[in-house]
Structures are given as C-alpha cells and as structure tokens.
Amino acid sequence: MRIVFLGAPGSGKGTQSQRLVERHGIPQVSTGDLLRAHVREGTELGRRAKSVMDAGKLVDDATILGMVEERLARPDAARGFILDGFPRTIPQADGLDAMLAAIGQPLDVAILFNVDADKLIKRISGRRTCEGCGRVFNVHTSPPGTPPHCTQCGDQPRLVQRPDDDEEVVTRRLDVYNEQTRPLVDYYRARGLLREIDADADVDAVTRRIEQILQRRG
Ligand code: AP5
C-alpha cells in the first residue's frame, strides 16, 4: 500500500504511522523525522532547515522533494510506504505524482486526520519523544511510565520535547497548515483518493478506523 497521512500538526499522523509499520511491514517516511535527522547530524541541509523548522515555517519544496525521492528509492519502500507529513504543498503533491508515475506505482489512498484545533494544542504541549528510537508519548494520554522511560527501547533514554512544540511556534504551524497544506484536501478529493477519519478518539479507535479504510482499498 502507498499511503499519504494528511492532517494538522498533532493530529496523530506519527503515532498511527508507527503502529502501521509494525502491522503492515512498510516503512514510515516522515519528512519531519528525516529533517530532524539532518539537524542532529549537522549536515548542510540540516543547518539550512533548522531555522525554518524552529520558526514553524515550511522547508522549500525542492529540498523536500529531493529528500523524499532519495528515501523512496531505498529497497524497503518497494512494497509500499506511509508518507507522514508529506506532501504539504501543491507543488510537493505534483512532484510526488510525477515520481510515482515514473515508477508505475500510484498512490492508493490519502487519509485525512480530523481533530479540533483546541485539542491539537493540548496534544502537542504534552508530546514527549524518545531520543533513542523516536517513539512518541504524551504526558496526558499515553504517559511514558514512572519513572519516565521508553516502552520500546526498554532502557531509560531521555524523553525530550521538540523545539518547535513551543506554543507560539505551534500557532504558526497551524496557520501554515491551513494556508499551504489544507488545499491538498481538495487536491486528493478531486482525484478520488481522499478518505477522512475522525481522529479525535483514543489511539486504538483511530487505528481501527484506518485499518477499515485500508481493508476496503486492499
Ligand atoms: P513534522 O515533524 O511533520 O510535524 P507535523 O506535521 O507538524 O506533525 P506533528 O509531528 O507535530 O504531529 P503528528 O500528526 O505526527 O502527531 P503525533 O502522532 O506526534 O514537521 C515538523 C517541521 O518540519 C515542519 O513544521 C516543517 O518546518 C518541516 N517539514 C516537515 N515536513 C515538511 C514538508 N513536507 N515540507 C516542508 N517542511 C516540512 O501526536 C501528537 C501528540 O498527540 C503525541 O504526544 C501523541 O502521543 C498524542 N496523540 C496521538 N494520537 C492521539 C490520540 N488519538 N488521542 C490522544 N493523544 C494522541
């Protein structure tokens, strides 16, 4: 399956991607994670991207498309993938279309995660990420245990808050989503690929809703 997860910051795309990776054996391709890896490794791309990300704006389309093309060329993506946080602009969606047309593997579905804006701020403010493996937790809804530890890595790595999860930056990210990414809802609807889910439910219920959609497509 070739899947796009579409939705505002904090709507649960990363959390659900991590679950699908385990269930379906296809990789999660998160442009946010790829960019954060570049920042951590101090690459030239990472240095350019950091100030843009910290300000809650979007990294330029050419950089993102180059990064995704390279990632999708790896062997683990041959059986399918979950695109998490990409595409985010119409030019990115057009670029993805062209990339997939060239290899004769079009998208199967774009799933839109619907959650009210006030809930998103609460979710994001409570998010903690495992520095070791990237597992996502939430101090309100999926607490990482006492003392805090990662249930995936087993040991006790630091659980960190993302620099762009500061409230002012989150507000900017939501504005950017509404201005630049929301138009993709109509883009995928017009192509008959859009499916919407109410993602304002517990994590297991949201997973079930996604699985129902995938069963119907598969
Ligand atoms: P990115 O990392 O993609 O962030 P995002 O899209 O803003 O999404 P988030 O990671 O904030 O949210 P999510 O939907 O994955 O939610 P999560 O599952 O973590 O991008 C970061 C930055 O990189 C961008 O701002 C931009 O600068 C740049 N960038 C990335 N991609 C780009 C692109 N394509 N083009 C240009 N620039 C790009 O959940 C959030 C919290 O809620 C967690 O704590 C979780 O535990 C909790 N939670 C999840 N599900 C539920 C539930 N059902 N109920 C209760 N709590 C829940």
Side-chain angles (χ1 to χ4, degrees):
M1 291 288 273
R2 290 171 293 279
I3 307 162
V4 164
F5 276 177
L6 195 59
S11 57
K13 305 178 300 293
T15 301
Q16 296 297 331
S17 298
Q18 289 178 350
R19 291 182 152 215
L20 257 64
V21 166
E22 288 159 14
R23 286 161 176 247
H24 294 267
I26 52 174
Q28 168 194 17
V29 176
S30 156
T31 40
D33 287 350
L34 292 172
L35 289 167
R36 282 184 287 278
H38 276 282
V39 172
R40 264 196 315 277
E41 289 157 17
T43 66
E44 196 268 324
L45 192 163
R47 280 195 294 278
R48 271 192 289 122
K50 183 169 175 19
S51 56
V52 181
M53 295 169 77
D54 287 351
K57 298 180 187 166
L58 293 186
V59 174
D60 68 280
D61 291 333
T63 299
I64 295 291
L65 283 166
M67 212 174 60
V68 171
E69 188 160 22
E70 193 186 314
R71 178 63 188 86
L72 295 186
R74 291 196 211 151
D76 66 340
R79 286 182 49 236
F81 42 76
I82 306 149
L83 295 173
D84 162 15
F86 170 87
R88 253 171 153 101
T89 63
I90 300 279
Q92 288 182 19
D94 286 340
L96 174 66
D97 240 19
M99 239 183 262
L100 297 181
I103 54 173
Q105 298 196 329
L107 271 187
D108 291 300
V109 64
I111 300 180
L112 172 65
F113 288 50
N114 286 318
V115 180
D116 288 345
D118 53 337
K119 304 255 177 65
L120 296 173
I121 308 252
K122 184 175 180 210
R123 280 191 189 183
I124 293 176
S125 68
R127 172 166 49 196
R128 300 292 181 276
T129 308
C130 172
E131 249 192 344
C133 68
R135 190 85 185 175
V136 177
F137 295 90
N138 194 286
V139 294
H140 307 300
T141 52
S142 55
T146 316
H149 67 283
C150 177
T151 48
Q152 181 160 285
C153 296
D155 56 2
Q156 299 197 351
R158 245 160 38 93
L159 292 163
V160 293
Q161 202 162 9
R162 276 172 36 181
D164 61 343
D165 278 353
D166 155 282
E167 194 167 331
E168 198 180 311
V169 181
V170 170
T171 306
R172 163 71 68 83
R173 283 164 56 203
L174 289 171
D175 289 345
V176 167
Y177 173 78
N178 284 322
E179 287 159 18
Q180 299 191 53
T181 307
R182 196 173 276 287
L184 292 178
V185 173
D186 285 338
Y187 180 100
Y188 284 119
R189 186 178 286 127
R191 285 160 177 74
L193 290 172
L194 189 78
R195 297 292 176 274
E196 296 191 48
I197 54 163
D198 174 4
D200 184 7
D202 69 60
V203 174
D204 287 339
V206 176
T207 306
R208 282 195 296 276
R209 289 169 192 173
I210 294 170
E211 291 292 1
Q212 278 168 7
I213 290 172
L214 297 184
Q215 270 164 21
R216 285 199 289 267
R217 304 295 290 188

